[in-house]
Amino acid sequence: MSFDSLGLSPHLLATIENAGYTQPTPIQSQAIPPIIEGADVLGAAQTGTGKTAAFVLPILERLGTSHQKKPRVLVLAPTRELAAQVAESVATYAGDTKLKHTVVFGGVGYQPQISAFKRGVDIVVATPGRLIDYYKQKIYTLAAIEVAVLDEADRMFDLGFIDDVRYLFRKMPPAGERQNLLFSATLSHRVLELAYEHMNAPETVKSDTERVNIGAITQTLYHVSKDDKMALLIGLLREIGDARTLIFINTKRVAERIDDTLAANGFNAATLSGDVAQNKRLR
Ligand code: AMP
């Protein structure tokens, strides 16, 4: 299957080619045509399946290329990092249009985000909390929303944002007057219930979640005593050389200790946790 058969305009096909994508991922080939037609879509897809492009590209197709100075599309994401990533995709895919977008999340200054709303935006990508702040301050309205996207819906529940999400949905035109897209790694009972409340007879599309990049990953398990862990880690990192490495830790305190030890051993490492300031996290 190629991107040509999905109903996207030549300018978007050129953007896709520039991004270096040669063929759509399964979630893209299933979701793009119904979204272009205006259907509600409920997608079961994890990060890494190409799900962002699966909704951003057809939304851009529907919006056209001209800027209208009021939020017409709202994408809600559970975490600041995901919101930032989605906004980066919007910037890439909408790069050759006059459409304006902004990203809204907590932990950073208010003024730049407020200024973006004042200048006028077509697409808003946001985490729920800060967006509600601005709503209550009447910085923007949701009255002209044509497309509402809920990304990683299951994590919205896990992180306790679901009441905020429902609040924002209620401020938009009724579900029947807007297009609703919901993506979630799992289509659990609570996610389906949410879909039932806020969507119109959605078409369900599923990515082959088992296949996400697994083929490209070699997994190795080391049985090692607690006292030897640090030495093993440093040995492995030396062996790996320049490759970029992610280390998952169960507590912030251990993360800091490892960060210090890595720095003392000459590694350029940084910690990402809830205690780290947002600007530093993004950097
Ligand atoms: P996502 O699942 O949206 O987080 O996307 C995962 C990664 O896949 C991103 O880095 C995208 O740039 C990339 N990607 C999206 N669609 C395609 C495609 N059709 N071909 C190759 N890479 C893609």
Side-chain angles (χ1 to χ4, degrees):
M1 158 111 31
S2 83
F3 275 107
D4 299 355
S5 57
L6 301 181
L8 295 163
S9 298
H11 80 98
L12 286 171
L13 292 175
T15 300
I16 291 165
E17 199 178 331
N18 284 339
Y21 307 161
T22 50
Q23 54 178 31
T25 66
I27 198 76
Q28 290 166 0
S29 43
Q30 292 174 70
I32 291 174
I35 297 175
I36 291 177
E37 279 171 24
D40 280 12
V41 168
L42 176 60
Q46 292 176 325
T47 291
T49 55
K51 70 175 161 67
T52 314
F55 61 81
V56 174
L57 292 170
I59 286 174
L60 294 175
E61 181 68 41
R62 284 180 63 78
L63 286 187
T65 56
S66 65
H67 171 45
Q68 291 192 11
K69 281 207 156 197
K70 56 191 177 192
R72 290 188 283 160
V73 177
L74 173 62
V75 182
L76 288 174
T79 64
R80 298 166 185 178
E81 277 74 20
L82 182 65
Q85 268 179 47
V86 170
E88 242 174 66
S89 297
V90 172
T92 306
Y93 304 140
D96 68 339
T97 72
K98 295 200 165 58
L99 295 166
K100 297 273 188 289
H101 74 279
T102 191
V103 61
V104 169
F105 48 70
V108 292
Y110 283 78
Q111 215 45 54
Q113 297 182 353
I114 292 174
S115 303
F117 277 121
K118 296 258 149 81
R119 285 193 301 273
V121 287
D122 304 276
I123 303 172
V124 179
V125 183
T127 55
R130 180 66 72 91
L131 195 64
I132 290 180
D133 261 15
Y134 294 146
Y135 189 85
K136 291 180 172 164
Q137 294 174 44
K138 298 194 168 36
I139 305 287
Y140 67 96
T141 91
L142 294 171
I145 292 293
E146 295 165 29
V147 188
V149 185
L150 190 59
D151 200 6
E152 302 203 346
D154 42 3
R155 295 195 66 206
M156 291 286 193
F157 282 97
D158 295 341
L159 297 171
F161 293 145
I162 208 66
D163 289 341
D164 288 350
V165 167
R166 288 196 163 101
Y167 176 95
L168 289 163
F169 273 133
R170 284 199 299 271
K171 304 299 177 192
M172 296 177 197
E177 292 167 27
R178 53 170 209 256
Q179 185 175 22
N180 304 289
L181 310 174
L182 189 153
F183 289 83
S184 184
T186 56
L187 296 184
S188 59
H189 179 72
R190 59 190 187 175
V191 170
L192 291 173
E193 205 172 51
L194 186 74
Y196 181 77
E197 271 171 60
H198 297 285
M199 302 180 81
N200 317 300
E203 198 163 306
T204 303
V205 300
K206 285 193 173 136
S207 177
D208 184 356
T209 47
E210 296 303 309
R211 275 194 2 217
V212 186
N213 272 341
I214 297 299
I217 297 173
T218 304
Q219 302 186 41
T220 311
L221 172 67
Y222 296 91
H223 288 282
V224 60
S225 73
K226 206 172 165 193
D227 290 344
D228 293 334
K229 271 203 229 171
M230 206 60 219
L232 176 68
L233 177 64
I234 288 172
L236 287 172
L237 290 175
R238 294 235 159 90
E239 202 177 296
I240 293 167
D242 282 340
R244 299 170 77 187
T245 307
L246 274 172
I247 303 171
F248 292 93
I249 315 294
N250 58 351
T251 68
K252 293 169 189 172
R253 205 173 43 80
V254 175
E256 279 159 23
R257 210 180 65 222
I258 294 184
D259 192 343
D260 289 346
T261 311
L262 290 178
N265 281 274
F267 292 101
N268 183 9
T271 303
L272 200 59
S273 82
D275 282 356
V276 178
Q278 189 58 31
N279 287 334
K280 207 170 163 195
R281 282 162 62 165
L282 287 170
R283 202 163 59 235

